[in-house]
Amino acid sequence: MIEFRPETDADWWEVEALLDLCFAPGRTLLSSYRLRDGIPPVRGLSLVARDELGILIGAIRFWPIRVGGLPALLLGPVAVHPTHQGEGLGAGLIREGLAAARAGGWERVMLVGDAPYYNRFGFTKLDDVEMPPPTNPDRVLGQDLVPGAWAGVSGPVMRWDATDY
């Protein structure tokens, strides 16, 4: 039995340890981390997955950003403990997180990731959105949480001002 629930402050260090395990040691040097510095993940959307013993086995985080002056979510990272990879847990976290984002009134979400993986969740390439370098533009993907939400949105991805949140 796997339980998905919103991440709390008490989960922070366990999630960080999972991210360290799942990703390269230099993960915090990625441009997406500059957008997250000093900004907490969005409460209620960032989720953890725990097994029947209460052990953390997965996590997903969403961060507030601005694109072309409009609010958006930055999805990532998504992490699944190596002993549970290939079980569909990452897909479950993504689906649950996107549903919570829609229910929370967010209109658009983006990420930097592998298009063949994320296309199955409805993500497509964002041609006119510019992530800070160094980011491969082919990996900048988005999804409308409200129909047409990305239409006409262009420009650089900017940090969310801490006073906005």
Side-chain angles (χ1 to χ4, degrees), residues 14 49-58 81 84:
E14 276 185 283
R50 293 190 178 273
D51 68 11
E52 62 278 355
L53 300 174
I55 297 170
L56 181 76
I57 58 172
H81 193 279
H84 289 276

Side-chain angles (χ1 to χ4, degrees), residues 37-56:
D37 283 344
I39 306 294
V42 178
R43 286 202 182 276
L45 306 186
S46 298
L47 306 172
V48 295
R50 293 190 178 273
D51 68 11
E52 62 278 355
L53 300 174
I55 297 170
L56 181 76

Side-chain angles (χ1 to χ4, degrees), residues 49-73:
R50 293 190 178 273
D51 68 11
E52 62 278 355
L53 300 174
I55 297 170
L56 181 76
I57 58 172
I60 186 171
R61 285 180 169 163
F62 290 85
W63 307 83
I65 55 170
R66 293 201 177 275
V67 180
L70 298 172
L73 289 170

Side-chain angles (χ1 to χ4, degrees), residues 70 148-154:
L70 298 172
W150 280 110
V153 178
S154 64

Side-chain angles (χ1 to χ4, degrees), residues 10-155:
D11 297 315
W12 181 265
W13 291 112
E14 276 185 283
V15 172
E16 287 297 307
L18 177 65
L19 297 175
D20 287 344
L21 175 66
C22 293
F23 298 104
R27 71 179 171 89
T28 60
L29 300 176
L30 297 172
S31 59
S32 57
Y33 275 82
R34 300 299 67 80
L35 298 168
R36 302 171 184 154
D37 283 344
I39 306 294
V42 178
R43 286 202 182 276
L45 306 186
S46 298
L47 306 172
V48 295
R50 293 190 178 273
D51 68 11
E52 62 278 355
L53 300 174
I55 297 170
L56 181 76
I57 58 172
I60 186 171
R61 285 180 169 163
F62 290 85
W63 307 83
I65 55 170
R66 293 201 177 275
V67 180
L70 298 172
L73 289 170
L74 178 63
L75 187 163
V78 180
V80 174
H81 193 279
T83 60
H84 289 276
Q85 290 177 0
E87 298 174 2
L89 185 57
L93 285 164
I94 292 167
R95 286 188 188 100
E96 290 285 324
L98 292 173
R102 275 187 202 89
W106 290 88
E107 296 183 7
R108 62 192 63 80
V109 61
M110 64 168 292
L111 57 82
V112 177
D114 186 34
Y117 180 79
Y118 287 102
N119 288 157
R120 66 183 171 145
F121 302 104
F123 285 88
T124 58
K125 187 173 181 296
L126 294 174
D127 290 316
D128 298 320
V129 173
E130 305 156 21
M131 274 291 287
T135 302
N136 178 344
D138 291 333
R139 295 176 57 83
V140 178
L141 310 174
Q143 183 184 130
D144 294 333
L145 298 175
V146 170
W150 280 110
V153 178
S154 64

